[in-house]
Amino acid sequence: MDQFLAFGIVGLSTAAIYAVIGSGLVLTYVTTGVFNFAHGAAGMLAAFTYWQLSAGWGWPVPVALAVVLLVLAPAFGLLVERVLLRPVQHLGEAERMVMMVALLSGLIAAARWVWDPNVARPLPTFFADRTPLHWGSVTITWHQVLTMAVAVAVAAGLWALLNRTRTGAEMRATVDDRALAGLTGADPVRANRVAWVLGTQLAAVGGILIAPAVALDAQQLSLLIVSAYTAAIFGRLRSLPLTFLGAVVVGCMESYLTGYLPQNAYLPGLRLAAPALLLFVALLLFPHRRLRGRDRRLAPVPLPSMRGALLFAASVVVVGVVLATVLQGKDLITLGPLLPLGLVALSYVPLTGYAGQISLCQLSMAGIGAVVWAHLGRDGQPWALVVAVLVAALAGALVALPALRLSGVYLALGTAAFTVVLDRWLFTLPSFTVFGVRISLFDQGSLEVSGPSLFGLRLDGDRELMVFSAVCLALVSLGVAVLRRGRFGRRLIALRDSEAAYATLGGNLLVARVAVFALAAGIAGFGGALYGMQLRTITADQFNLVAGLPIFLIAVIGGLGCVGNGLFAGTAYVGPNILLGLASWTQNVVAILPALAGMGLGHSPDGIVPRLRRDWEPAARDRIVLPALLCALALAWLLRVLDVVDGWVLLVGALVVASALRAYAAARRGSPAEPDIPVEWWGVRRPWRAEDGEVLARGIARG
């Protein structure tokens, strides 16, 4: 009984921290309509900053706390609201969610850049020098007492703020209808600003309180938010009392699993994955109201022509051949994953671009494909590659079945929870037997992966695998283009536009969602198998949630409705790694680039690939410029193959020549005549200009 009480006290103190963090998450969502995926990362950054001030620089603890909680945390909240969210407030829910995912990824990368993850940073508990309290044989530290007292104070303060003050009413009214709230005298901008300041402060409090109990690790601290996610879902993202109840359930569950879970090789990961499992179950069982502040901004999905799709597929193969022939040594190994990861990114096109289904587990599906190929394709059997695709597709279908009733943020949370379960538990399991069949994943270590055998040839070299990956990406890209042009593609777009209308008109939601999840997972599994071939050795950490976030971000930035997104995403994600050979410090720059690009999504919400297509279309249609460009690139490639120039000269020269020819093509084409737009449509059908005001004033004066 004493042991049970001791674990209960530990669970309640942990629950108090989850309650503080979860309440900040609910506060932000209730008042702004934005689900802050970076909430835990903000707490992580506050914990590191507190350590730097108190332990690193020797500041007094009260001063360090005051600076972090009263100065830096509010400033960070204001910065996020002003710089990141206000410019995308008019966009849809998905774009705002991507912004938060980008912030999460960026804060983790920035923390690893500033604080070396290989250096231990112990953080002492509060009042560690005081004698603990004793309740029978149970010992209660003053840090635990402080934690629970803070949770109670936060609960009382937030309830009073939201229900007994004008500011709270203003904050709640803003998310339901910003325009109507403004007409009643409320200030939506001020309400959002207050919410982000308070939410960031609560995340900072939770991060500082929990940091002494865990290692100061950027990824671990940021993903502790999964437990707070679970607590917030208990409260259905709007009820603070239910959020605190959920925090108690999660905290006590973790504590009692630590104390009473049987000791064997299969269960340690279960304790780490338990909050994610509980989150997934809570998402499925609890009823969910309409998402707060949900608005839909549906961009048209371009219809690729068959001629364009065939030309693009041929271009992908050419890119693979060029890379295989011009790259050497470390550069060939560094850029090897470019095309396989492009396949993983391409899986988002039918899933999210066509069907509107948000998933954060595509890299985990790639991990499943890589594992199946590693075990079954050791001798290069082509059928093993087919099995890897089918097993990944089956896993995608299994995810889709329970997630059928989820959408938007809830679906993103569900797929993220599935990924965390794989990361922390299933991928760490040793070999086991089910119905007489031996199942082996990563075997608690790494797996050796070899290339395939096709037509009697063993494709095991880096160059052969590069060309093989290019052919695979070209074929799958062509297949996705055919899908878009076919009946199933049109059904998926109808599903994205309105699930209710799709079902009303006779569409089967279950079949459509399961089919598109399975298709996307199969494509990702295919890419994962090719990725493993390029790496030669794979581990579970290469397919975790944090590793998959940059790929998701770049896929969104590229344009989820574009077939060319696979090649773009692979190039944008892997291409900057070539800088690693110049200087070691560029590793941190490369790690943070996807997050910075994701934060700039508001400037190009439709994607970069459509913009690139528009910019280069004059050159592609010009009968003089296009042959000249192809000849120049072929000449540059030949000079590199003959070792006349090095890789950097080839890259810079090709970019300069291509840009010059594009500018020449644009000049030859000339600027199109601007259509005559009635004055009442100025600022709507064309951008508002500075001189328009003067023109209108003169017209009114003459009238």
Side-chain angles (χ1 to χ4, degrees):
M1 186 61 182
D2 291 339
Q3 185 181 16
F4 182 85
L5 290 176
F7 283 119
I9 294 298
V10 173
L12 289 176
S13 63
T14 305
I17 298 174
Y18 293 158
V20 171
I21 300 176
S23 61
L25 188 65
V26 171
L27 174 68
T28 305
Y29 184 74
V30 167
T31 55
T32 68
V34 176
F35 189 88
N36 187 6
F37 278 90
H39 195 68
M44 172 273 298
L45 193 63
F48 270 100
T49 306
Y50 169 69
W51 176 90
Q52 186 66 55
L53 297 178
S54 61
W57 294 343
W59 289 23
V61 169
V63 176
L65 284 174
V67 170
V68 173
L69 298 180
L70 302 180
V71 179
L72 298 181
F76 181 77
L78 290 173
L79 180 68
V80 170
E81 189 277 331
R82 179 64 183 87
V83 177
L84 295 184
L85 288 178
R86 199 181 301 177
V88 298
Q89 192 67 44
H90 65 286
L91 299 181
E93 173 196 11
E95 286 81 0
R96 297 198 297 267
M97 188 193 74
V98 168
M99 196 71 70
M100 291 296 95
V101 172
L103 184 60
L104 167 63
S105 179
L107 290 180
I108 293 176
R112 288 176 171 175
W113 188 351
V114 177
W115 294 281
D116 186 354
N118 298 316
V119 176
R121 293 179 176 83
L123 193 61
T125 61
F126 291 101
F127 307 115
D129 55 340
R130 293 195 177 185
T131 304
L133 302 176
H134 295 280
W135 182 24
S137 59
V138 177
T139 300
I140 306 175
T141 67
W142 283 99
H143 184 88
Q144 293 171 331
V145 173
L146 174 65
T147 299
M148 289 184 274
V150 168
V152 172
V154 166
L158 288 180
W159 183 89
L161 172 67
L162 293 176
N163 296 280
R164 290 293 184 268
T165 66
R166 177 179 174 83
T167 300
E170 183 179 81
M171 293 163 68
R172 288 184 287 110
T174 297
V175 68
D176 290 330
D177 193 321
R178 293 176 63 87
L180 183 59
L183 291 175
T184 60
D187 186 349
V189 173
R190 181 180 61 193
N192 287 359
R193 190 181 299 129
V194 172
W196 278 102
V197 167
L198 292 178
T200 306
Q201 286 180 310
L202 291 175
V205 170
I208 292 173
L209 289 176
I210 204 170
V214 297
L216 266 181
D217 176 80
Q219 179 173 322
Q220 182 179 355
L221 274 174
S222 297
L223 292 186
L224 282 174
I225 192 64
V226 172
S227 300
Y229 287 167
T230 309
I233 292 300
F234 264 77
R236 291 184 284 178
L237 295 179
R238 68 179 187 273
S239 171
L240 289 175
L242 290 178
T243 298
F244 275 69
L245 175 62
V248 172
V249 172
V250 176
C252 290
M253 178 190 66
E254 290 183 350
S255 181
Y256 287 124
L257 284 177
T258 302
Y260 294 103
L261 198 66
Q263 299 297 317
N264 60 52
Y266 299 94
L267 295 180
L270 175 60
R271 184 187 65 82
L272 299 176
L277 279 171
L278 187 59
L279 171 60
F280 197 76
V281 172
L283 284 168
L284 298 180
L285 296 182
F286 291 172
H288 305 297
R289 289 185 178 179
R290 177 183 62 86
L291 290 173
R292 306 279 296 183
R294 185 179 183 184
D295 52 347
R296 301 175 66 86
R297 180 186 180 275
L298 298 176
V301 180
L303 180 66
S305 65
M306 284 307 302
R307 178 178 177 273
L310 290 171
L311 288 176
F312 175 75
S315 301
V316 173
V317 176
V318 170
V319 168
V321 173
V322 169
L323 290 177
T325 52
V326 303
L327 295 176
Q328 297 177 354
K330 292 182 179 180
D331 292 339
L332 186 60
I333 297 174
T334 299
L335 296 184
L338 186 153
L339 297 169
L341 290 180
L343 262 176
V344 178
L346 184 62
S347 68
Y348 284 106
V349 173
L351 180 64
T352 309
Y354 295 173
Q357 307 300 307
I358 300 174
S359 172
L360 298 180
C361 66
Q362 292 307 101
L363 191 62
S364 296
M365 298 301 169
I368 293 173
V371 166
V372 174
W373 169 255
H375 287 292
L376 299 182
R378 291 174 178 173
D379 298 325
Q381 305 93 326
W383 59 265
L385 196 56
V386 178
V387 174
V389 173
L390 292 178
V391 172
L394 177 61
L398 292 177
V399 172
L401 282 173
L404 180 63
R405 65 188 298 269
L406 304 178
S407 63
V409 168
Y410 298 130
L411 182 57
L413 285 173
T415 53
F418 177 78
T419 300
V420 173
V421 172
L422 287 178
D423 299 344
R424 297 182 177 180
W425 185 27
L426 298 182
F427 280 168
T428 66
L429 290 175
S431 301
F432 56 94
T433 302
V434 177
F435 301 118
V437 179
R438 180 180 173 81
I439 299 177
S440 181
L441 298 175
F442 285 93
D443 287 331
Q444 298 180 309
S446 60
L447 293 176
E448 300 294 327
V449 186
S450 57
S453 296
L454 295 175
F455 309 109
L457 299 176
R458 187 62 181 267
L459 306 180
D460 216 13
D462 293 326
R463 300 184 190 279
E464 294 91 342
L465 288 174
M466 179 76 77
V467 176
F468 178 63
S469 299
V471 173
C472 293
L473 178 58
L475 292 176
V476 176
S477 298
L478 186 61
V480 172
V482 172
L483 171 70
R484 168 65 183 89
R485 295 177 59 85
R487 182 179 181 183
F488 184 59
R490 294 192 296 271
R491 284 179 171 268
L492 292 180
I493 294 173
L495 174 68
R496 179 200 68 156
D497 292 345
S498 174
E499 293 185 0
Y502 179 82
T504 302
L505 295 176
N508 191 314
L509 288 175
L510 174 62
V511 172
R513 292 188 69 172
V514 170
V516 72
F517 264 91
L519 173 64
I523 295 174
F526 191 14
L530 297 177
Y531 183 44
M533 296 175 196
Q534 292 284 355
L535 295 179
R536 306 299 178 92
T537 303
I538 57 174
T539 62
D541 289 340
Q542 293 165 327
F543 302 96
N544 62 27
L545 176 63
V546 175
L549 292 180
I551 300 176
F552 169 72
L553 290 175
I554 294 178
V556 175
I557 295 164
L560 291 173
C562 301
V563 175
N565 198 14
L567 179 61
F568 168 82
T571 304
Y573 180 59
V574 180
N577 290 337
I578 200 73
L579 298 175
L580 300 180
L582 300 178
S584 59
W585 60 267
T586 58
Q587 179 178 359
N588 295 312
V589 177
V590 170
I592 206 171
L593 281 178
L596 294 177
M599 294 176 197
L601 177 67
H603 300 288
S604 183
D606 294 328
I608 295 178
V609 174
R611 174 184 292 184
L612 291 175
R613 182 177 179 179
R614 290 192 299 268
D615 291 345
W616 286 91
E617 186 177 7
R621 294 183 179 276
D622 194 296
R623 295 183 178 182
I624 297 177
V625 172
L626 181 59
L629 178 60
L630 294 177
C631 291
L633 295 178
L635 177 61
W637 171 71
L638 182 61
L639 292 176
R640 179 67 189 96
V641 171
L642 297 176
D643 208 19
V644 176
V645 298
D646 62 13
W648 286 106
V649 173
L650 170 65
L651 177 62
V652 175
L655 291 176
V656 170
V657 172
S659 299
L661 289 175
R662 182 180 72 86
Y664 175 68
R668 277 171 48 85
R669 186 178 185 182
S671 57
E674 184 178 284
D676 187 17
I677 298 176
V679 65
E680 60 268 19
W681 289 103
W682 289 2
V684 179
R685 292 184 178 176
R686 70 163 176 78
W688 180 265
R689 299 169 182 169
E691 63 270 17
D692 289 347
E694 182 179 353
V695 173
L696 290 177
R698 292 181 181 275
I700 294 172
R702 286 196 300 268

